[in-house]
Amino acid sequence: EAQVTQNPRYLITVTGKKLTVTCSQNMNHEYMSWYRQDPGLGLRQIYYSMNVEVTDKGDVPEGYKVSRKEKRNFPLILESPSPNQTSLYFCASRIGQANQPQHFGDGTRLSIL
Amino acid sequence: RKEVEQDPGPFNVPEGATVAFNCTYSNSASQSFFWYRQDCRKEPKLLMSVYSSGNEDGRFTAQLNRASQYISLLIRDSKLSDSATYLCVVNRPGSARQLTFGSGTQLTVLP
């Protein structure tokens, strides 16, 4: 089954404790992206990757890191999480062209205390 | 001005009603347009792409007005299962790979 898998689905943690949210897709998509969703603000892009070893900042990259060592995986790293990073996070992937639909993971709800 | 703006609603309509949403975008050079549907904090899912000539998929019709820089979504004969948040999505010119999402319009279809 074609899918984007995120883990964990839910996480409550404390300020400053490094965490990684994993994202994996099995569709051989070149493009992968991370978004956060906050009430009234919609989905905002954090980072995206157009292919292996090619990553770029989105609209709200501060406080986040990503890597793309393999085509299928695109982890999101919070080196020193802060309460303003409490949010609902989505990973997405699609084939290269912008006019193609994105496939989203189920989402990860992070609470930083 | 926001890149993509939508009326947040909520729109509460009776079953069987026709409902329309508009979305405006700020950059006239945008080329790709979509409507996504999101159920109660679940992942967004593509509802339909929007083409220049307008397009229809069953009860759903999408239209693009480049002159006024808006896209619309019309839902006919609304069902209870249409209750969701509808997200307008537009590509960001100059960065073919990036999409900008509106904050969504909430629809509730009432029995």
Side-chain angles (χ1 to χ4, degrees), chain A residues 31-34 45-50 54-58 66 68 74, chain B residues 95 97-98:
Chain A
Y31 181 92
M32 297 185 74
S33 182
W34 275 104
Q45 191 174 49
I46 302 169
Y47 268 95
Y48 64 99
S49 168
M50 293 197 282
V54 181
T55 63
D56 212 343
K57 295 178 181 178
V66 292
R68 188 91 182 272
F74 190 44
Chain B
S95 176
R97 309 298 182 110
Q98 283 206 39

Side-chain angles (χ1 to χ4, degrees), chain A residues 8-26:
Chain A
R9 292 289 313 281
Y10 304 91
L11 178 63
I12 301 174
T13 187
V14 296
T15 299
K17 186 175 180 184
K18 180 180 177 180
L19 68 91
T20 299
V21 185
T22 63
C23 175
S24 180
Q25 50 93 6
N26 63 359

Side-chain angles (χ1 to χ4, degrees), chain A residues 31 37 45 48 98 102, chain B residues 36 38 43 92 96-98:
Chain A
Y31 181 92
Q37 187 173 34
Q45 191 174 49
Y48 64 99
Q102 293 198 67
Chain B
Y36 276 73
Q38 185 175 26
E43 76 277 18
R92 179 173 290 166
R97 309 298 182 110
Q98 283 206 39

Side-chain angles (χ1 to χ4, degrees), chain A residues 1 4 45 53 70 74 84 104:
Chain A
E1 181 190 350
V4 179
Q45 191 174 49
E53 302 291 3
E70 307 161 284
F74 190 44
N84 65 10
F104 284 84

Side-chain angles (χ1 to χ4, degrees), chain A residues 13 32 35 39-40 44 53 75 81 93 96 106-107 110:
Chain A
T13 187
M32 297 185 74
Y35 297 88
R44 294 180 292 166
E53 302 291 3
S93 74
D106 289 340
L110 282 184

